[in-house]
Amino acid sequence: MIKTKIINKNKKFVVQQADDLGKYKVVGSFKTKLEAQNFREALRDNAEKAKAKISSITVREAYKKYADYKFELWNTYDKLGEHQARIYKRHFDKWINLYFPEDLPLRELRSKNLVKFFERMRENGCTFNTASIVIYSFKGMFEWCVDQDFVQEEDYNIRFFEIRKYPQLIPTDGSDKSKKTVMITRYEVKRLLEVIKPQNPNNYDDVLNYVAINFFIHTGARPAEVRAVEWSGVNLDTSRIHIKQQMKDQTLRFKLKAEGSERYLFIPPRLKKILARWKEFQSKLIPDPSFVFQNSYISKLPVTDKQLRNFLYRAYAKIGLAVLEDNGNHIKVRSCKFKGEPFKTFRHFASTALLDAQAANPQLSDNFIKTQIGHRDIRTTRMIYGDHNDLDYQSGKDEQIINALDNALKLN
């Protein structure tokens, strides 16, 4: 049983715990004796949980640890892209370390603190979009800290924080408008599908990459969702895939990005054939694989985000959509039509294709489309993807549309 005591020091009630040598060290400080006594009891029942509840780690300290963790995922373990790894360090060095309150405990972080921090960043020259990205990263940081037992789940008070709930933070000059995601066209998709065909049909990684890109194109699913798909959630008889979890770095998380994200995807016939052949091929090389896109290593984890990104960027380079510096192990993207978010364009492609085809096909109902894409409301789908009109650029459909306009006007 651990030894503890309470002392009155500087008008506060301090709880101390004896270490292995019998020396007492401070583990908590409270304003009232009752709070100290309650903590002392909790300490005896479960020391780690009790300490986490009164954790003194500050927001700055926690974010610094989180940024270091992200950097190590790239620098030491090669499980994250360099750009993704470095961005958290930039957030910390340029904004959080300079403008976030130094002594605020992580467990006391509230929405009002993020609002004030957002205003300070803007006052010091940060753009609206960059400030929004920095604020959004606090959610990932807090969830990681919960996993590390720095704080408890019940301390997660910023879970539903959104900038747009605070009108005073929205600029009136239109600078809050996000840059429109560039969408890949059908013509480019067809070229891409040609160049990603495995050069060696017996190479596991080559075939996996090919299947994964087809999965993105045909479903529009998010990358974190795709990597987390398990064979137990794939039913090739009913053509359904259960999306119920996602990969966060290389950790499986049983919660998705937003409400409405858990869903059963319909598998298009072309993708169904690819998955059936892949399942047969994979089972010959990996005994009882759990994940559809499981890597070939002993870890039995899904393929890394970095592997798929590098493969996709190299494919884009082959069809003239990217310029790279590539030494065979690491790549640096000099320019790319889809730089930063190479997968996101497939989500836009699939969503826009469904919305475009809806008028001619009553089976593509609003409910079906929002469920397939993973939104709670069809209005979200239309707002994000409904204004794209370049799906068929460089295809024969352009001429068909022009002729249809001519026939509709009937001026000849």
Side-chain angles (χ1 to χ4, degrees):
M1 182 177 177
I2 62 173
K3 294 181 179 181
T4 61
K5 64 181 181 179
I6 299 175
I7 63 172
N8 196 326
K9 185 177 181 180
N10 297 328
K11 296 182 179 181
K12 288 189 176 182
F13 295 90
V14 177
V15 179
Q16 296 181 333
Q17 178 184 340
D19 61 17
D20 294 337
L21 299 176
K23 185 177 180 180
Y24 281 88
K25 295 182 178 180
V26 175
V27 290
S29 179
F30 303 88
K31 293 180 180 179
T32 69
K33 189 173 183 178
L34 179 61
E35 288 178 322
Q37 289 172 336
N38 289 339
F39 172 69
R40 189 182 188 186
E41 290 299 321
L43 195 66
R44 289 169 175 170
D45 292 338
N46 189 322
E48 288 188 5
K49 188 173 182 180
K51 289 177 183 178
K53 282 189 174 182
I54 61 134
S55 171
S56 60
I57 187 171
T58 67
V59 174
R60 278 201 199 180
E61 291 170 341
Y63 202 100
K64 177 67 165 58
K65 290 178 181 291
Y66 180 61
D68 290 343
Y69 160 74
K70 287 287 189 178
F71 186 80
E72 284 304 303
L73 281 179
W74 164 71
N75 190 48
T76 303
Y77 302 104
D78 203 27
K79 292 181 178 179
L80 202 66
E82 182 178 1
H83 171 75
Q84 291 175 293
R86 291 186 181 278
I87 195 169
Y88 297 95
K89 279 188 169 292
R90 286 199 296 271
H91 289 344
F92 180 80
D93 293 339
K94 191 171 183 180
W95 304 112
I96 296 165
N97 195 40
L98 296 179
Y99 303 115
F100 198 90
E102 184 176 0
D103 300 322
L104 181 69
L106 180 62
R107 60 190 172 88
E108 294 180 12
L109 180 62
R110 301 290 188 273
S111 294
K112 64 181 181 181
N113 306 121
L114 294 183
V115 170
K116 289 180 181 179
F117 176 49
F118 186 92
E119 291 172 337
R120 287 205 67 189
M121 284 192 290
R122 295 285 281 137
E123 289 167 2
N124 286 277
C126 188
T127 67
F128 176 87
N129 288 334
T130 297
S132 298
I133 291 170
V134 174
I135 291 293
Y136 185 78
S137 71
F138 273 70
K139 294 187 178 183
M141 178 271 292
F142 211 109
E143 291 172 1
W144 178 78
C145 287
V146 171
D147 290 341
Q148 300 301 307
D149 291 325
F150 294 154
V151 286
Q152 296 292 298
E153 183 77 30
E154 55 261 34
D155 295 322
Y156 190 13
N157 295 297
I158 61 167
R159 188 192 311 271
F160 302 110
F161 181 83
E162 291 182 17
I163 294 296
R164 296 192 177 277
K165 290 181 179 179
Y166 299 85
Q168 73 271 25
L169 302 181
I170 310 300
T172 57
D173 60 359
S175 59
D176 60 312
K177 304 301 180 184
S178 299
K179 185 179 179 181
K180 185 177 177 181
T181 298
V182 179
M183 189 174 68
I184 195 167
T185 67
R186 281 196 178 93
Y187 172 74
E188 290 166 341
V189 168
K190 289 177 181 178
R191 293 177 63 205
L192 184 68
L193 289 173
E194 284 297 318
V195 299
I196 66 172
K197 287 180 179 178
Q199 294 182 347
N200 180 357
N202 295 315
N203 183 287
Y204 183 84
D205 284 342
D206 284 354
V207 181
L208 182 149
N209 292 335
Y210 171 77
V211 178
I213 301 306
N214 269 277
F215 198 106
F216 287 123
I217 292 170
H218 287 89
T219 67
R222 302 176 180 96
E225 296 172 345
V226 173
R227 293 196 298 124
V229 172
E230 295 179 287
W231 281 117
S232 60
V234 178
N235 191 326
L236 295 176
D237 293 328
T238 61
S239 298
R240 303 286 192 281
I241 296 174
H242 190 191
I243 301 294
K244 61 178 180 178
Q245 56 201 21
Q246 63 175 330
M247 293 300 298
K248 189 77 171 181
D249 301 323
Q250 280 301 88
T251 303
L252 187 65
R253 300 186 68 89
F254 296 97
K255 53 184 177 181
L256 295 168
K257 180 179 180 181
E259 190 175 353
S261 293
E262 182 173 352
R263 61 203 186 275
Y264 283 91
L265 284 175
F266 283 75
I267 310 174
R270 176 185 168 87
L271 180 61
K272 181 178 177 178
K273 291 179 181 178
I274 292 173
L275 287 175
R277 294 174 62 187
W278 166 244
K279 186 175 185 179
E280 182 181 358
F281 174 81
Q282 185 188 47
S283 64
K284 294 177 181 177
L285 300 177
I286 297 180
D288 301 318
S290 298
F291 295 98
V292 174
F293 300 108
Q294 188 165 308
N295 65 40
S296 56
Y297 308 120
I298 196 169
S299 69
K300 297 184 179 180
L301 288 171
V303 61
T304 63
D305 179 85
K306 181 180 179 180
Q307 177 179 322
L308 293 178
R309 278 177 178 264
N310 285 355
F311 174 78
L312 187 54
Y313 275 128
R314 286 175 176 131
Y316 284 147
K318 289 179 182 178
I319 58 175
L321 297 179
V323 177
L324 313 174
E325 286 183 11
D326 189 352
N327 65 8
N329 292 319
H330 298 282
I331 65 170
K332 187 167 186 177
V333 183
R334 284 300 180 187
S335 65
C336 180
K337 183 177 178 179
F338 318 108
K339 187 175 182 179
E341 292 291 346
F343 305 109
K344 194 173 183 180
T345 189
F346 298 133
R347 187 162 173 78
H348 282 241
F349 173 81
S351 303
T352 303
L354 288 173
L355 291 171
D356 279 2
Q358 187 178 29
N361 191 339
Q363 299 299 319
L364 302 177
S365 65
D366 284 355
N367 188 58
F368 168 80
I369 293 176
K370 75 176 181 66
T371 302
Q372 187 77 354
I373 298 305
H375 288 150
R376 184 180 64 174
D377 194 321
I378 188 63
R379 288 175 294 184
T380 303
T381 313
R382 293 188 187 282
M383 179 180 69
I384 298 174
Y385 307 116
D387 63 344
H388 283 284
N389 57 7
D390 50 359
L391 184 66
D392 291 291
Y393 178 67
Q394 290 182 304
S395 74
K397 193 172 181 180
D398 283 354
E399 187 174 349
Q400 296 173 24
I401 292 173
I402 293 170
N403 290 334
L405 278 173
D406 204 23
N407 291 334
L409 294 171
K410 296 180 179 178
L411 295 177
N412 293 333

